[in-house]
Amino acid sequence: MLLFLATIIAVAIANSPWSTSYEHFLHYPVQVIIGGIELFRHMGHTMTISQVVNDALMAIFFFLVGLEIKQELLVGELSSPKKAILPVIAALGGMVFPVLFFLGVTPNHPESLGAAIPMATDIAFALAVLGSLGGRVPKSLYVFLATLAVADDIGGIIVIALFYSKGVSLLPLGIGLALVALLFLLGRLRVTALEPYIIAGIAVWALFLQSGIHPTIAGVLVALCIPAGSKVHIRELSRKLHEQTSHLSTEAREAERAVILSHDQLERIAEIKSTAGQAISPVQTLEHALKPLVDYFILPLFAFVNAGVSFGGVSADMLLGLPLAIFLGLFLGKTVGISLFTYVAIRVKLCAWPEGMNLPRLISLAVLGGIGFTVSLFIANLAYDGPEMAQLLNEAKLGIFAGTIISGVVGYMLLSRFLPKSEAK
């Protein structure tokens, strides 16, 4: 809802008398100096609000994505080939066909720079639409769509790293990768203190920013180094806490509005807190801490900064170019690619139908894959960067909005038609 509201506000302002003020806000410089070093400085210039959101705050978003990917790779639906193969195949189809549809409409430069825009699936919006159907949705459909979207994120990250990085400088890149290797070693040694990862992670981000590799990639690489094991296994937690609480005195000096504990009680409670905290892995500690920040601040701010599409000067001829290419890529490319690759994999007996899945439901889920919003907007900003590309970026936003909205509405209608009328068992 916050993403949707931020988007509506951005579109409304961009098409109002305040549009000039909105543009000034986006290009307002952000100067933060720590110890004589300007933190948000790139290519000799102070970064603007728009650049800080897209290059710094979105690195935190991709860091969170990296934490989620690591968990899926270790214990989730990507943890074994048997679990992962079908949604990964589906994701591949959902990346190849949107690009083909896009290039079929706009094969020429510079429009072709945005060929990767319709590759992305917005997992938050897609699962929100699926969740709106409540208990009628079999769990296997949630798992399939979520895993497909995670594999899709991995593909998007690779595309950003390979095709949307500019003028690579080897020295800062080499130092950044050396720090990543050090963090990987710390993770293998099960160093669970978060401070080294946070400090080195900020350094890696700054080095990647200067290297020309998009700094969001730094967020993903650092996240994959964070250890996922805990010092106290959950099966041992109850016993340890019972031992510690059994020696905890319940006597205290107290009045109506105050309770004063003894130093011994304070020490024992600190031990209990430490023991409980050690049952949570660093990966989940960081994910739990960052998710509210990302969901309720970073992504709505990203939407407000990037979703301000202007409808002024839009003509029918314009809509038949880049907006149509992105719309077809999201709505048809995703649907055809996910459905076709999945169905072929099942027909050649490479995989079996997930429980509760059939062809109509598969096609309906594939349509939801065309909800591209967040990462599609992000890639559009990378593809059409600079004042000379402003018109193409505006057209790309039109295509993203159209493809996302139509995919969401049609996917919901199809699922409502093909899912059981009562709650799934």
Side-chain angles (χ1 to χ4, degrees):
M1 290 301 296
L2 278 175
L3 270 174
F4 180 73
L5 183 61
T7 301
I8 295 300
I9 292 172
V11 172
I13 293 176
N15 293 277
S16 76
W18 299 303
S19 60
T20 303
S21 299
Y22 175 70
E23 288 297 321
H24 285 323
F25 167 77
L26 298 184
H27 295 96
Y28 192 84
V30 180
Q31 193 170 47
V32 178
I33 299 175
I34 301 175
I37 298 174
E38 187 174 350
L39 186 59
F40 299 122
R41 190 170 183 82
H42 186 221
M43 300 296 183
H45 300 285
T46 299
M47 295 170 68
T48 64
I49 286 178
S50 176
Q51 290 171 327
V52 169
V53 170
N54 291 332
D55 292 344
L57 294 186
M58 285 301 283
I60 299 175
F61 165 74
F62 278 95
F63 178 77
L64 182 64
V65 170
L67 294 175
E68 293 171 346
I69 288 172
K70 177 154 189 173
Q71 292 177 78
E72 290 296 322
L73 290 171
L74 292 175
V75 296
E77 296 301 317
L78 297 176
S79 60
S80 70
K82 184 178 179 181
K83 288 183 177 180
I85 188 167
L86 188 60
V88 167
I89 289 172
L92 287 173
M95 287 185 275
V96 171
F97 272 81
V99 173
L100 295 178
F101 273 86
F102 180 99
L103 293 176
V105 177
T106 55
N108 299 321
H109 185 86
E111 289 85 352
S112 59
L113 294 172
I117 293 171
M119 287 175 56
T121 295
D122 191 308
I123 185 170
F125 271 137
L127 289 179
V129 173
L130 196 59
S132 67
L133 292 159
R136 297 171 58 192
V137 183
K139 183 182 177 182
S140 61
L141 270 64
Y142 278 108
V143 172
F144 180 83
L145 184 60
T147 310
L148 181 154
V150 171
D152 196 284
D153 282 341
I154 296 173
I157 290 163
I158 293 171
V159 166
I160 291 169
L162 293 179
F163 300 106
Y164 295 106
S165 297
K166 302 174 183 177
V168 176
S169 178
L170 295 180
L171 181 59
L173 177 60
I175 298 172
L177 291 175
L179 280 177
V180 171
L182 176 62
L183 290 178
F184 178 77
L185 179 61
L186 292 178
R188 296 293 292 176
L189 294 173
R190 303 203 172 189
V191 175
T192 56
L194 295 178
E195 291 81 3
Y197 300 99
I198 295 171
I199 294 170
I202 294 171
V204 172
W205 170 82
L207 288 162
F208 271 51
L209 181 66
Q210 300 306 319
S211 74
I213 299 292
H214 200 275
T216 54
I217 303 303
V220 178
L221 292 177
V222 172
L224 294 176
C225 297
I226 309 292
S230 59
K231 285 190 173 181
V232 176
H233 197 283
I234 191 67
R235 288 193 293 268
E236 301 173 3
L237 181 62
S238 178
R239 177 182 59 80
K240 285 181 174 289
L241 291 179
H242 178 72
E243 289 176 359
Q244 292 174 332
T245 54
S246 65
H247 296 97
L248 179 64
S249 171
T250 57
E251 295 181 3
R253 290 184 296 151
E254 59 183 301
E256 182 180 348
R257 303 170 77 178
V259 177
I260 307 299
L261 303 179
S262 68
H263 289 295
D264 180 67
Q265 287 171 317
L266 291 175
E267 288 178 3
R268 291 194 180 277
I269 291 172
E271 289 176 3
I272 291 169
K273 288 174 64 177
S274 175
T275 300
Q278 289 174 8
I280 306 173
S281 70
V283 161
Q284 287 197 294
T285 298
L286 284 169
E287 182 196 22
H288 186 71
L290 290 176
K291 192 161 180 59
L293 174 67
V294 170
D295 287 348
Y296 301 124
F297 175 69
I298 291 177
L299 287 181
L301 180 59
F302 169 81
F304 178 75
V305 165
N306 292 283
V309 59
S310 173
F311 298 110
V314 175
S315 64
D317 290 342
M318 180 191 300
L319 293 175
L320 294 176
L322 184 58
L324 178 63
I326 294 173
F327 170 77
L328 292 177
L330 286 171
F331 182 56
L332 291 182
K334 280 286 187 182
T335 302
V336 173
I338 293 171
S339 302
L340 181 63
F341 272 48
T342 305
Y343 185 70
V344 169
I346 292 170
R347 289 292 294 175
V348 300
K349 302 191 183 303
L350 194 59
C351 313
W353 283 107
E355 186 179 352
M357 180 85 81
N358 54 34
L359 185 57
R361 293 178 187 177
L362 168 63
I363 294 172
S364 305
L365 273 187
V367 174
L368 286 188
I371 299 176
F373 193 74
T374 305
V375 180
S376 291
L377 279 175
F378 185 76
I379 294 176
N381 276 277
L382 297 179
Y384 306 122
D385 186 27
E388 71 282 359
M389 296 281 200
Q391 181 60 40
L392 288 178
L393 179 58
N394 194 65
E395 292 177 23
K397 292 176 182 178
L398 285 170
I400 292 168
F401 288 169
T404 293
I405 292 168
I406 297 300
S407 295
V409 171
V410 174
Y412 177 87
M413 293 173 64
L414 289 174
L415 283 167
S416 185
R417 166 71 176 80
F418 294 119
L419 286 175
K421 300 304 178 186
S422 57
E423 290 196 2
K425 300 294 185 181

